[in-house]
Amino acid sequence: GTTSIYLTMAVENERNAARVTLLHSKGYTQVLIEAMGYIHQDRDTLLDSLLYYCGFLRSTPGFFRIVSPRKASRKQLECFHKKHYLDVLEQHEIDHPLALLELLGLVEDCALPDNRLVLWKYCQYVAGASIQAADSLVNGQGNVAIHWGGGRHHARPSQAGGFCFINDACLAIERLLLKYHRILYLDIDIHHGDGVQQAFYERQDVITVSFHRYTPGFYPCSSGSPKERGRNDGVGYNLNLPIPAFCDNSTFVQHFQYALHQLMEVYDPEAVVLCVGADGLHNDPLIMEQKGWNLTPEGLAECVQLAGLYCRNKKLLLLGGGGYDPAQTARTHLLCTAAACEGVRPGMLKHELPRDIPRHPHFGRYGPDFVLYQPQEDYNHDNNDDSRLLDKELKESIDLAVLYLQQQKQQQQRVPDFALDPDENIRLMENLPQKRRRKRTRKKC
């Protein structure tokens, strides 16, 4: 029937090993709806249907692995979050004073729901799914892992914010750091990834890069400046790139590609984490009165495809984020799922997906045009040095970050080999900068 053309299934040799892992289950979708339906509405239900009717869930390609999320343990959550904060989230029968809730950010957009058991279950599952996704990469079970329910990048160790109660992104990065020594975190949600920035602001093993709106009154108001470049050992390892209002696909993708190419070359990360918020889409209902961006799902999918191409011999973790138009967010994450497969199956996004939304129970939500994928202009993925159309200030910020990283790399390469006698080793160590002498200890999550 017509369904068979939605995805051409993998040939037999593609079934030898799963290369792309998707954290997903019907039960997990229900958890997301119960806890976050107040803001995300039914976007997870819509995505579930698109994944099914486009073939990812019912005629699963041989290189594609679907894993049911598991709850994170309390001990795993404590790898990033403070015990007293988790106590308040977990204690569903205690009424806490308003002053404490305000201190912990558990008011307004992150107010505790009447059914706190639902919230705690959600926190455990969202964190657990992102940790599982990271585990699949660490354990060699694939090159790409996807968790669209994650990307809760605003949460702090002891504070909620921006509809984020648990920072699964930080927990996943900490899990990756048990094996990998250099992580590149990219955030293309329209809101600044303040929670992730704060977590790694003084470190060199994670470089955080955020593309976002930065203007008075735009959440989060207290962070996101390009002047925030890191602190202590982490100076130069944080890059904020404020993207102006009404930015379109072409401009956004060009800046994303330029930054990605430069940073991959100079920092040479072993793994990349990409937070794909869909709230930068044109007319996102939560953003449009605040002068957002004019992106389309295809533009965000192009960024995912680029990340996949640059990570062919590395690990790539994709997380979700904001997105408050349910149908457009579902379409975005469906296209991004296909784009994430491009490293394994070239043409999955642009040639194998149907151009129109397949007939299914939620078909009417995608009117009036019912388009699934609209072909875009062909971006030149090989012309990485064409910076003529880049914003001058953004390009300078990227170039400055790259220059600093190059200098750091050169200094590290000049560190002498310690295959000397013990006394000479001690003398050389005493003359090295303190930051090279420190050895980080890390909780095992």
Side-chain angles (χ1 to χ4, degrees), residues 278-292:
D279 43 9
L281 297 178
H282 176 65
N283 281 345
D284 182 276
L286 193 71
I287 307 300
M288 59 183 180
E289 293 183 2
Q290 298 177 298
K291 298 181 180 179

Side-chain angles (χ1 to χ4, degrees), residues 302-314:
E302 192 72 29
C303 292
V304 171
Q305 182 181 1
L306 282 166
L309 292 173
Y310 279 96
C311 290
R312 284 191 176 183
N313 299 314
K314 303 177 185 292

Side-chain angles (χ1 to χ4, degrees), residues 337-351:
T337 301
C341 299
E342 286 284 331
V344 185
R345 281 279 290 279
M348 171 69 82
L349 172 65
K350 298 183 179 180
H351 303 298

Side-chain angles (χ1 to χ4, degrees), residues 86-284:
L86 295 174
D87 287 342
V88 174
L89 291 179
E90 186 176 13
Q91 293 166 351
H92 58 278
E93 295 179 348
I94 300 176
D95 291 327
H96 298 282
L98 180 59
L100 174 62
L101 296 179
E102 289 177 339
L103 183 65
L104 300 179
L106 295 172
V107 292
E108 299 177 352
D109 55 334
C110 289
L112 292 175
D114 293 335
N115 189 343
R116 296 189 201 171
L117 283 174
V118 169
L119 176 62
W120 179 242
K121 182 179 179 182
Y122 161 80
C123 291
Q124 290 179 294
Y125 266 111
V126 167
S130 288
I131 293 171
Q132 277 179 270
D135 273 333
S136 73
L137 301 177
V138 168
N139 296 330
Q141 296 171 324
N143 299 342
V144 180
I146 306 170
H147 173 213
W148 295 129
R152 316 317 300 164
H153 59 170
H154 294 306
R156 309 291 181 97
S158 58
Q159 192 174 58
F163 309 116
C164 302
F165 296 90
I166 290 288
N167 199 317
D168 63 287
C170 288
L171 287 164
I173 291 171
E174 289 289 2
R175 181 67 186 91
L176 291 171
L177 285 168
L178 294 179
K179 180 175 182 179
Y180 305 114
H181 305 291
R182 295 182 308 280
I183 308 292
L184 171 60
Y185 173 78
L186 297 162
D187 196 321
I188 56 177
D189 189 287
I190 198 170
H191 299 100
H192 178 239
D194 55 335
V196 181
Q197 171 178 296
Q198 183 197 53
F200 303 103
Y201 203 57
E202 299 186 24
R203 293 168 59 168
Q204 296 183 3
D205 48 5
V206 180
I207 182 167
T208 54
V209 183
S210 179
F211 300 77
H212 54 271
R213 283 282 284 129
Y214 180 66
T215 190
F218 200 93
Y219 185 89
C221 304
S222 59
S223 68
S225 167
K227 295 180 181 180
E228 298 164 6
R229 299 181 55 243
R231 185 186 303 118
N232 297 333
D233 286 1
V235 170
Y237 290 81
N238 186 82
L239 178 58
N240 285 329
L241 297 171
I243 304 296
F246 312 119
C247 178
D248 61 11
N249 283 346
S250 179
T251 302
F252 192 89
V253 172
Q254 285 169 347
H255 285 85
F256 180 83
Q257 181 177 6
Y258 184 77
L260 178 63
H261 173 73
Q262 301 293 333
L263 293 168
M264 291 293 286
E265 193 169 78
V266 69
Y267 188 63
D268 189 27
E270 297 169 276
V272 174
V273 179
L274 175 57
C275 180
V276 188
D279 43 9
L281 297 178
H282 176 65
N283 281 345
D284 182 276

Side-chain angles (χ1 to χ4, degrees), residues 295-358:
L295 305 183
T296 69
E298 289 82 0
L300 293 176
E302 192 72 29
C303 292
V304 171
Q305 182 181 1
L306 282 166
L309 292 173
Y310 279 96
C311 290
R312 284 191 176 183
N313 299 314
K314 303 177 185 292
K315 303 296 185 179
L316 175 62
L317 172 59
L318 296 175
L319 302 174
Y324 307 98
D325 180 325
Q328 287 291 79
T329 302
R331 189 163 78 87
T332 297
H333 288 159
L334 187 281
L335 295 184
C336 289
T337 301
C341 299
E342 286 284 331
V344 185
R345 281 279 290 279
M348 171 69 82
L349 172 65
K350 298 183 179 180
H351 303 298
E352 295 196 43
L353 283 182
R355 293 294 173 85
D356 296 325
I357 297 290

